[in-house]
Amino acid sequence: MNLNSETSKPIYIQIAEWIETEILKGHFKQDEKIYSQYKLAEIFTINPATAAKGLNVLSDEKILYNKRGLGKFVASQAIERIRDKRKNVVLKRLIIELVDEAEQLQVNEPELIAMLQEYKKEGEKK
């Protein structure tokens, strides 16, 4: 993954989101140790303190837990928490933007739904 320095999204949030995505993809499993702040710093060429901040965000959200002296591990409910968070925050924001844009373009609800269904069909063909 490449971090995007052109966005207003802080690097530590991008690190947290990358870890979440890796958990969702099954690359980090429940109760499995994840990369240390130093390994993340090495992978992404960032300050270890920035990587630690990303890890702490996930700990605060109970997606990761700490084993003293051993590092951070994936929590048992991590996938459910990530899905809930992304559904209620990310998807909601995207839907609001989509609906606003559709209204500006005078795209009605049935047309918008048809566009979503068509896009989904195209994705299934790949």
Side-chain angles (χ1 to χ4, degrees):
M1 178 208 168
N2 293 321
L3 299 176
N4 185 351
S5 60
E6 302 296 317
T7 183
S8 61
K9 189 180 289 187
I11 298 295
Y12 74 94
I13 296 294
Q14 293 181 55
I15 294 292
E17 289 176 350
W18 177 80
I19 293 169
E20 287 177 349
T21 300
E22 293 299 297
I23 291 169
L24 290 174
K25 289 179 177 178
H27 297 153
F28 294 119
K29 303 202 182 319
Q30 178 181 328
D31 296 318
E32 184 177 338
K33 186 179 189 306
I34 63 155
Y35 298 135
S36 71
Q37 70 189 60
Y38 302 106
K39 182 65 176 175
L40 289 168
E42 179 185 321
I43 292 169
F44 294 106
T45 318
I46 58 171
N47 188 307
T50 303
K53 197 169 180 182
L55 291 169
N56 288 334
V57 165
L58 297 176
S59 292
D60 292 346
E61 294 174 351
K62 299 189 180 359
I63 291 169
L64 302 178
Y65 66 93
N66 193 44
K67 283 188 182 179
R68 190 173 179 140
L70 297 177
K72 300 224 183 266
F73 293 75
V74 178
S76 61
Q77 299 296 314
I79 290 175
E80 292 81 5
R81 288 188 177 113
I82 296 166
R83 285 184 179 150
D84 286 346
K85 178 176 92 168
R86 289 191 175 185
K87 182 175 76 172
N88 294 320
V89 175
V90 177
L91 279 182
K92 187 174 184 177
R93 177 182 42 80
L94 291 171
I95 289 168
I96 290 167
E97 290 175 17
L98 177 66
V99 170
D100 287 348
E101 184 69 17
E103 286 174 358
Q104 290 178 26
L105 297 173
Q106 298 178 344
V107 174
N108 62 30
E109 186 178 329
E111 189 178 357
L112 185 58
I113 291 170
M115 290 172 73
L116 289 168
Q117 290 171 335
E118 181 63 30
Y119 180 78
K120 186 174 184 203
K121 283 181 193 174
E122 288 175 14
E124 290 172 353
K125 291 178 185 177
K126 293 179 182 179

